[in-house]
Amino acid sequence: MSLTIKDVAKEAGVSFATASRVLGNYGYVSQDKYQRVMEAAEKLGYRTHSLAKSMVTGTTKTIGLVVGDIENPFFAGLASWINSTMSLEGYTMMVYTTDENSDEEARGVYTMIEKRVDGIIIAPASTRTYNHIQAAKNAGIGVVTIDRQIPELELDAVVVNNSDGAFEAVNSLIQLGHQRIGFISDSLDISSNLERLDGYKRALETAGIPILDSLIETTGFTILDGYRKAVASLRNKNHPTAIFAANNFIMTGLLLSARDMGIQIPSQISVIGFDDMEWYKLSTPTISVVAQPLKQIGQTAARLLLKRMLNKDRIQRPEVVSCSTQLILRESTAPPGKQ
Amino acid sequence: MSLTIKDVAKEAGVSFATASRVLGNYGYVSQDKYQRVMEAAEKLGYRTHSLAKSMVTGTTKTIGLVVGDIENPFFAGLASWINSTMSLEGYTMMVYTTDENSDEEARGVYTMIEKRVDGIIIAPASTRTYNHIQAAKNAGIGVVTIDRQIPELELDAVVVNNSDGAFEAVNSLIQLGHQRIGFISDSLDISSNLERLDGYKRALETAGIPILDSLIETTGFTILDGYRKAVASLRNKNHPTAIFAANNFIMTGLLLSARDMGIQIPSQISVIGFDDMEWYKLSTPTISVVAQPLKQIGQTAARLLLKRMLNKDRIQRPEVVSCSTQLILRESTAPPGKQ
DNA sequence: TTGAAAGCGCTAACAG
DNA sequence: CTGTTAGCGCTTTCAA
């Protein structure tokens, strides 16, 4: 079918091994034969068979990215930065989407183990379900978690100061005079959400405002989930005067629902989100938000992984990098209106 | 290092081949031995070595997706639909980002050939540079182009009726009374852009409006490129009364620039885009657009590829599927204001 | 420097 | 039904 080193060797009139040496760019080869092999390879249009090479070298130059939803601009942005960094080092990226479901995630990770990726960057869907990640680590695959952490596992991780970020956001609402502040996120199995909830609670506590379970809502990971939850919440005439949306999809759903229900932002309700979007500057009102440094997060994760893969054999202490968020106040947050 | 079928076979007390049969799920094996092997595999935590398997079966159950920019929601959306469809059939997806650059694209495609993917879905950056795609095809890899076409190559393709979509958009502007209508897109090497330009021209021609080269602008593929080009265009006091933005990133750049320059939409300038975004309904004004059926495009591309890979050996005529766009008029288009 | 030969982990005939 | 054996295409000793 496709041509092999043997074909090239025959064409060049050298031994199989010699051809392999020049094509693989290692060992000693005379100028003359080098030349001949290169020409033969060029003429025949030879392409190496990475799989065969990987079988013997034990490395695939491939990494896996495992995230909840590649359609979410947050993950798409991370993917882009990770990819551009890894690409420079000769790595190709495999992407697996989990829908924030641990079973699916496990399936993805086991697939990557079987395909022998050199490393995995993962945003684990749960803090508690991680046998598959442990298995990857045991298989000698470099693992770094991103956006989230698994405390029980000693893993490299890149996160942001979720709790502080959420604290600042909620506190800004409190400073504006809000008392009934809602919280909406997707699953609390996700460590970053849990930390954001923690920041939310700390802000209220610090201000002496009681924490009401009825104001804390969780839902799925899609825009539609956020929309539905927001509609349910806003339908209540006694709804909060402000809402903290723990991620960009929740925020989008929230904005869509406010629009559909004819509720004005910020006069009738203030909203603040987590993770900035380009279009937040284009909506009316513009959206206040806790911004995350996507570039820094993505590149750092890639570098940690590179370092771990490079020193595969040596023992390395896990490294956790925490990036800072930035509070950006725009027009969607204002003092509570008179009812 | 990692354990192999031999280890499992030894543990189960059967031959290497028998263990392979049960683990690979083929051939005849007695209940008893099947049981023993499964238990041994479970106990040891055996995972197959896909690379070795692929070496002999000649298939990797992996496909490659080659697009300009995974961060662009258009491609991210396609990637998501493609992935969900392929995933059901047991395929994993490799993603390669080209920055709409043919050299980079060639590098990506050759990498995928070497890694022996079973198929490639690609949005080619150029209509004219395609040796690498030809090479993939020759290597027996299934190829389908998406969003774009390469006329010279006989390839499966999924596209939309770009020309008609653009025609409708521009025509809607003309019906509102616009005469000076601008066109902004990224590279015209991209077939879909060329077709959209064609639709733009046809609409003007049909209305008897002269086509001015000065109103046709092209730029790079990022939001920033769109922004800069729009600023340059709007700075001219004799700027068009309406602009057709040929993709979502150009539109975002355009909106950002209008905002920064204090130009009101639609009173001072009308804008209409190509490819709908969720947030177009949330901006002020809401954005008129030619919407593309992402789900249909992505799923169709995946199905075409599946079909082609399934009938790898048989000769199949290339299949080109064209999906319809939908004109959605919102608030960003209105009759030209009085100057 | 070069070539011969072993072997990575697996599937797939081919005998038994 | 089960075991033996020959490769898949490549890198890497080991001798020459």
Side-chain angles (χ1 to χ4, degrees), chain B residues 292-303:
Chain B
Q292 305 189 67
L294 285 200
K295 177 177 176 179
Q296 190 191 351
I297 299 173
Q299 289 188 335
T300 306
R303 289 203 198 102

Side-chain angles (χ1 to χ4, degrees), chain A residues 309-339:
Chain A
M309 293 189 304
L310 190 65
N311 306 313
K312 207 173 182 296
D313 25 334
R314 257 168 291 179
I315 295 170
Q316 301 174 70
R317 282 214 318 282
E319 200 167 333
V320 177
V321 178
S322 179
C323 308
S324 353
T325 55
Q326 189 195 354
L327 181 65
I328 302 177
L329 264 13
R330 300 201 182 99
E331 303 163 353
S332 68
T333 43
K338 334 65 188 155
Q339 306 291 29

Side-chain angles (χ1 to χ4, degrees), chain A residues 82-257:
Chain A
I82 289 169
N83 184 56
S84 58
T85 305
M86 297 306 297
S87 182
L88 287 177
E89 302 293 327
Y91 287 88
T92 313
M93 189 174 77
M94 253 164 132
V95 176
Y96 202 96
T97 286
T98 67
D99 290 344
E100 301 296 5
N101 171 61
S102 285
D103 289 343
E104 193 56 34
E105 177 180 304
R107 224 162 357 248
V109 170
Y110 283 125
T111 301
M112 306 219 148
I113 295 176
E114 296 183 350
K115 291 191 191 288
R116 294 309 197 257
V117 297
D118 295 334
I120 293 179
I121 295 182
I122 182 172
S126 166
T127 326
R128 296 172 314 220
T129 309
Y130 49 69
N131 282 341
H132 49 290
I133 299 180
Q134 183 74 266
K137 200 181 159 191
N138 293 344
I141 296 174
V143 179
V144 2
T145 67
I146 193 163
D147 180 60
R148 309 167 188 182
Q149 269 182 282
I150 298 182
E152 273 87 19
L153 256 35
E154 306 227 305
L155 260 24
D156 291 335
V158 185
V159 294
V160 299
N161 54 343
N162 288 298
S163 182
D164 293 347
F167 181 95
E168 286 184 60
V170 174
N171 188 52
S172 77
L173 257 14
I174 296 171
Q175 297 307 319
L176 286 170
H178 292 276
Q179 298 268 113
R180 285 182 60 75
I181 301 174
F183 172 98
I184 309 182
S185 78
D186 55 328
S187 168
L188 291 180
D189 283 343
I190 296 171
S191 70
S192 48
N193 286 336
L194 205 54
E195 292 167 19
R196 288 168 203 177
L197 177 58
D198 175 66
Y200 162 88
K201 288 181 175 173
R202 273 200 299 123
L204 294 182
E205 262 167 10
T206 305
I209 299 172
I211 294 167
L212 303 179
D213 280 350
S214 61
L215 294 181
I216 299 173
E217 313 247 38
T218 62
T219 179
F221 71 95
T222 68
I223 292 180
L224 188 57
D225 289 320
Y227 177 85
R228 287 194 180 129
K229 190 53 89 175
V231 164
S233 171
L234 296 181
R235 183 173 286 150
N236 186 330
K237 69 166 72 80
N238 193 28
H239 67 67
T241 63
I243 292 183
F244 170 65
N247 71 44
N248 72 82
F249 268 12
I250 300 280
M251 175 56 92
T252 303
L254 173 57
L255 294 175
L256 250 14
S257 80

Side-chain angles (χ1 to χ4, degrees), chain B residues 169-178 181 242-244 270 272 333:
Chain B
V170 175
N171 188 53
S172 77
L173 258 13
I174 295 172
Q175 297 307 319
L176 286 170
H178 292 276
I181 301 174
I243 292 183
F244 170 65
S270 284
I272 189 165
T333 43

